[in-house]
Amino acid sequence: MTTPALSVDRLAAGYDNGPVLHGVSLSVAPGEVVALLGPNGAGKSTTLRAISGLIRVMDGEIRLAGSNLASLSPSARARAGIVHVPEDRGLFRGLTVAEHLRLGPRKEKLDADAAYEYFPALKPIAGRMAGVLSGGEQQMLAMGRALGRTPRVLLLDELSLGLAPVIVEGLLPVVRAYATEHQCAVLLVEQHVHLALGIADRAYLMANGVSSSSYDAHVLRNDMTLVQASYLGGPEWASEFKDETRLPFIGEEVHE
Ligand SMILES: Nc1ncnc2c1ncn2[C@@H]1O[C@H](COP(=O)(O)OP(=O)(O)OP(=O)(O)O)[C@@H](O)[C@H]1O
Ligand SMILES: [Mg+2]
C-alpha cells in the first residue's frame, strides 16, 4: 500500500462567515497528477488554501506523507514541501524575474537554474519587472518559482486564468513531466477540463463544498456527463455518478 503524499479526509473549512467545505476527501500519490474540477464557487480554491494552511480547518484532517499538518503554520508547510501557486500567481509587480528566482518566499531555498531549465523563455526576460510581463510569461515565472522550490506537493490553482489554450497546452506537459520525474504529487484546479484531464491520472469532482470519489482521468474524458453533472450542481449531482467507474481510494481494501 502506497502512503499518499497528500491526503485530505472529511475536510470542513471556510471563512469568518462559516464553512464552505462540508466534506472534502481526496488523496494524491507521489508522482501523480490529480485534477480537482467543478463549477465556480464549488470550493476548489478554498480546498487548496486549507491544505497550504491559509485558512482554518474546522473539521477533518490533512496529511503530508501520513503526518497530520494541523499544528503547522503556512510557512512550516511550505518548508515541508507544500508549494501553492494561487489564482493571482503570487508575484510582485515591482520585482524582476531574476529577483523572483533569487529567493523563495520567507527566505526558502530556490533553485533558479532549475526554474530557467523548465522555462527557458524566462532567461531573456530575466531583467524585466513581473508587472510588465504578459499573462503567459507571468504564469511561467510563477511556475518556475514553484518548481525551483522542489515541491513534494504542488497545488496549482487555475494555471490557465487569462491565458490562451495554446499557452496552457504548453505549460501542462511541464507539470506532468515534473510530477513523474520528481515523484511530486500535483493537485491541479483547472477550468480547461479537457486539457487538465489530458495530463491527469485521476480527478475528483466538486460541487457545493463536497468532493466526489475519484475517477480515472480517461474515464471522465470519454464520458463528460459526469463532469457536466457536477457543473450543473444541485443535490442530485452525486447520484449521477456511476459506481462502476469509481476507483478505490489509496489504501482502501478492494473486495473482488
Ligand atoms: N475570503 C473569503 N471570504 C468569504 N467567503 C469566501 C472567501 N473566498 C471564497 N469564499 C466563498 O467560498 C465559496 C467557495 O469559493 P472558492 O473560491 O473556493 O470556489 P472555487 O471553486 O475556487 O470557484 P472558482 O472556480 O470561481 O474559482 C464561494 O461561495 C465563495 O464566495
Ligand atoms: Mg477558485
Side-chain angles (χ1 to χ4, degrees), residues 54 60 76 98-99 182 184 246:
L54 300 175
E99 284 164 344
H182 295 262
C184 171
R246 186 173 90 70

Side-chain angles (χ1 to χ4, degrees), residues 14 20 44 55 91 99 112 114 133 156 159 202 217 225 249 252:
V20 299
K44 306 179 299 293
I55 59 166
L91 302 175
E99 284 164 344
L133 300 182
L156 296 176
L159 276 187
R202 291 183 300 123
T225 54
F249 289 114
E252 184 183 3

Side-chain angles (χ1 to χ4, degrees), residues 12-171:
Y15 304 93
D16 290 345
N17 48 351
V20 299
L21 304 180
H22 306 284
V24 174
S25 296
L26 57 86
S27 65
V28 190
E32 202 182 23
V33 176
V34 171
L36 188 57
L37 306 173
N40 297 127
K44 306 179 299 293
S45 298
T46 303
T47 301
L48 299 194
R49 286 181 203 124
I51 295 167
S52 59
L54 300 175
I55 59 166
R56 198 167 52 86
V57 166
M58 296 161 178
D59 202 2
E61 281 181 0
I62 302 169
R63 292 179 178 271
L64 176 69
S67 299
N68 195 328
L69 292 177
S71 62
L72 294 195
S73 66
S75 38
R77 291 180 200 208
R79 283 193 300 276
I82 297 182
V83 171
H84 183 181
V85 181
E87 257 169 316
D88 68 4
R89 299 177 182 138
L91 302 175
F92 301 95
R93 293 190 64 79
L95 291 186
T96 65
V97 169
E99 284 164 344
H100 273 94
L101 296 178
R102 202 162 291 150
L103 205 61
R106 297 171 285 261
K107 301 197 165 57
E108 278 166 49
K109 268 207 344 232
L110 203 162
D111 183 349
D113 292 340
Y116 290 123
E117 202 178 301
Y118 289 115
F119 298 101
L122 292 174
K123 269 239 162 93
I125 56 170
R128 220 172 276 173
M129 302 261 196
V132 302
L133 300 182
S134 73
E137 289 167 342
Q138 286 185 3
Q139 198 57 281
M140 278 191 266
L141 175 56
M143 286 293 302
R145 197 163 185 248
L147 299 186
R149 289 159 69 192
T150 50
R152 291 167 77 190
V153 170
L154 180 60
L155 309 171
L156 296 176
D157 202 345
E158 307 221 15
L159 276 187
S160 61
L161 207 68
L163 301 183
V166 64
I167 309 275
V168 187
E169 279 171 37
L171 287 171

